Amino acid sequence: METLQDFVAATLDAPFDFNVRYSIFYLTCTILIAFGIWKYRGSPGTFTSWLLPKEVYRHRSNLLDIKLFFASRLFSVLGVFGAVFFPTTVAFGLLAQFGGADYAPPETTWMRIAVVTVIVVVVSDFCKYWAHRAHHEWKALWPFHAVHHSADVLTPLTVQRVHPLEPMINALLMTLFVGIAQGLTLYFLVGELSMLTIGGANAAYFLFNTLGSNFRHSHIWISYGRVMEHILISPAQHQIHHSVAVKHHDKNYGSIFAIWDWMFGTLYVPESYEDLTFGVSDAKGQRREQPYETLGAALFKPFVESVENVLAVLRKARGNGQAKADSARMSQGFSLWLDALRAGAALTVLFGHMAHTRFTGGEYQFLREWNVASDAVAVFFVLSGVVIAYAAERDGTLGRYAFNRITRIMSVLVPALMLTLVFDAVGTSADISAYPAPYYHDVSLGEFLWRGLTLTNLWTGTGDWVRLGTNGPIWSLSYEVAFYLIFGAVLFLKGAVRIAVLLTLVLLVGPPALALLPAWWVGVWVWRHASVLTAGHGRSRAWVFAVGSIVALVMMKMSSIPADLEAFTARMLAPHDHHAILVYSNEALWNTVIAVCLALHLVGVRHLADTWPQRTEGGLAKTVRWVAGGSFSLYLVHYPTLHLLDATLPETLPAYNLVLLLLTLSICFGFATLFERPIRQYRAVLLNTWERIAPHLPLTGRRSMS
């Protein structure tokens, strides 16, 4: 009942809301301006018939506009839009972050407020341009925007003819970039949030709406002239944007300013009046029949069309992707060497963690002093960069890349999180002293699942970092997912969209993961550009890289260089605690040195492996591949397992350390047998299930995915 009352109130308040373009005030201004135009042009007939032609306002298309207006009011009452639109909150957060106790805000003047207003309005309009353009050019988004373009006639209420998902996407973009613009400009120019600074941008939009923004969706042609239409979007230019004519397709995306269209090649300036037909059309300009006859069709049909579009793109790209994958092959020798390093790094992490005094009584403390576990993770990052760069070339498309990464991670991560919950619950019940605070965080179930399943537990841009129970090693997986996303954006996106996505990821991920991004990216370089160092030099230079890099790394490890690099990091971040800022990346400089040395090693090995005999199926090779095939599980499961066994195994057990090791390996590799090794079968089941659910959208011609 309360929701119904709120809905009625929101609907009744809309005509009096200055934030609504079709409010009574703005409509009154529109009518007054229209009357002046009617008189100036000397149009035939009465003013009312000219302003409100029956063929427009009694059209079925206008009836759907009205229905979507009420639907938007309902979604607004439910809080759907407001949940993702909070640029002022972002601005306040940045202002609080930058401003300290000794921060002296600049003096507030009308000139500074005006500058802030201009910046926020310009940034807002720039964001609107790219959000609008993305809805046209991204096939997954177009069906939702097509609801707006399906209008057969244009009236001021057509601004409400939008699918509810579209303003949510726009709001996310506006929240991030407008919030940042507000925060930075407030910090440097004003220094505080106030009604003046917040209201400045609102005043600009008030002026925009007052001066006739409602003509944009109308039958009345108003052009600003060739010069001004390179600066401001006129109503005529926006009406052209709704035209079905081929020459008008994907033109005039701007909201207020035409400069973005001018800059990015999408501007269309009419020479004179043009007779327009509105609606949606095919690539040849043939107008389609109204695709959204009912409110239900407008709300639900775009989801089906979006899926169909994405699958059509995947099917079209499959041939090109296959050809590209066939040309990006990895020699068996190099693949086996990568597996050997991966298996060795996973076992090294296990041994390094077992060396904790609480597990093995300090007998292997030298492994802790050598910090081998942390160094092994740096090796993992380089190997990951190599493998992901190779796999992305085989994938060929963003959709396949995303599917392979998600299935690879989630098939092991989800059961690993569940096992962690169970093992921690049993272990803490048996012996809570086996779970000291630095190595076990008792977080709520909701936070555990949310931060764990999204792998944002070390994304400091989203909040404080979280240790998921005893499963501390998930920190590096949180980093890796960030690297996958950044690499995918660089590889598969283009232009301003790529920049926007990358900036968003940088803000969300935070300094700890970004500090180790170079260590991961050198692995990408190894796969994509390594040959430039060995081309034309035969095997001699390859051997120098393969052996010399490891010798140099060992010599540096035995020196004080790792400690010196961390001390340098601490000095650079002083007076802040570098551990607090970088968390697990406190040795980022040393980890990067490891990554560069390993990259040079792999450059040499890759060149040498091309000439190795293809004898990689013997007993040793099979053992290496078997261990490597369970390394992901070994990495994610070993720490909760060690804690559980430490809490439950009797300390008087003969050969305790050996039993601890063997039981841990057995549990980890048993886990891998269930969840990691059958990854191809799991993917096949997912794809087959999809084809049963949607037989009219089959995914044919599938190749094996890695």
Side-chain angles (χ1 to χ4, degrees), residues 129 155 188 255 352 431 439 528 665:
Y129 170 86
T155 74
F188 289 109
S255 178
D431 183 6
Y439 306 103
R528 306 188 74 182
L665 289 173

Side-chain angles (χ1 to χ4, degrees), residues 153-437:
V153 295
L154 301 183
T155 74
L157 205 58
T158 305
V159 72
Q160 282 293 308
R161 189 191 182 95
V162 292
H163 191 279
L165 194 63
E166 183 179 346
M168 292 178 64
I169 296 171
N170 294 341
L172 285 171
L173 186 65
M174 297 289 288
T175 290
L176 178 65
F177 290 102
V178 177
I180 292 173
Q182 284 183 347
L184 294 178
T185 51
L186 289 175
Y187 176 77
F188 289 109
L189 297 176
V190 181
E192 62 180 357
L193 288 170
S194 67
M195 290 302 295
L196 290 176
T197 53
I198 295 174
N202 291 339
Y205 284 105
F206 172 82
L207 182 64
F208 171 69
N209 291 334
T210 300
L211 294 178
S213 64
N214 281 313
F215 289 112
R216 295 159 60 88
H217 294 110
S218 76
H219 61 287
I220 300 174
W221 177 275
I222 300 176
S223 174
Y224 295 160
R226 186 166 185 81
V227 174
M228 285 302 298
E229 287 185 337
H230 281 77
I231 302 172
L232 300 173
I233 290 288
S234 70
Q237 284 175 292
H238 190 75
Q239 291 163 15
I240 284 171
H241 177 75
H242 278 266
S243 169
V244 300
V246 173
K247 64 179 181 179
H248 298 151
H249 285 184
D250 301 326
K251 299 296 184 181
N252 299 344
Y253 292 117
S255 178
I256 296 178
F257 300 111
I259 53 176
W260 316 125
D261 287 290
W262 192 12
M263 289 171 59
F264 299 110
T266 55
L267 182 67
Y268 183 96
V269 177
E271 296 292 339
S272 60
Y273 172 78
E274 298 187 24
D275 189 19
L276 305 175
T277 299
F278 303 128
V280 289
S281 63
D282 59 23
K284 297 180 180 180
Q286 295 298 315
R287 189 172 178 276
R288 293 169 52 194
E289 291 297 324
Q290 175 56 248
Y292 311 109
E293 293 283 358
T294 65
L295 178 62
L299 293 177
F300 299 109
K301 190 176 179 180
F303 288 102
V304 177
E305 293 174 331
S306 178
V307 172
E308 290 176 343
N309 285 352
V310 171
L311 293 178
V313 171
L314 292 176
R315 286 194 294 269
K316 182 178 179 180
R318 185 170 291 111
N320 294 335
Q322 179 67 54
K324 190 173 182 180
D326 291 341
S327 65
R329 297 195 180 280
M330 183 183 294
S331 69
Q332 292 184 12
F334 188 58
S335 175
L336 181 62
W337 191 255
L338 293 179
D339 279 341
L341 292 175
R342 183 155 55 110
L347 291 171
T348 300
V349 171
L350 170 61
F351 296 148
H353 288 160
M354 272 192 64
H356 275 290
T357 302
R358 66 185 190 278
F359 294 138
T360 52
E363 294 184 39
Y364 309 100
Q365 184 61 26
F366 66 93
L367 294 177
R368 299 298 306 161
E369 295 171 355
W370 289 353
N371 202 23
V372 296
S374 177
D375 291 351
V377 173
V379 173
F380 266 131
F381 284 148
V382 179
L383 298 178
S384 172
V386 174
V387 172
I388 295 305
Y390 162 70
E393 287 185 0
R394 294 186 66 207
D395 295 336
T397 66
L398 179 59
R400 189 183 299 277
Y401 174 82
F403 175 78
N404 286 341
R405 303 293 80 74
I406 292 171
T407 52
R408 170 65 174 166
I409 292 169
M410 289 301 171
S411 63
V412 177
L413 174 66
V414 173
L417 289 173
M418 298 304 103
L419 180 139
T420 301
L421 286 173
V422 173
F423 277 17
D424 286 356
V426 174
T428 53
S429 298
D431 183 6
I432 189 63
S433 65
Y435 292 79

Side-chain angles (χ1 to χ4, degrees), residues 611-627:
T611 63
W612 288 348
Q614 301 301 307
R615 299 173 183 173
T616 57
E617 297 305 323
L620 179 60
K622 290 181 179 179
T623 301
V624 169
R625 293 196 185 281
W626 186 85
V627 176

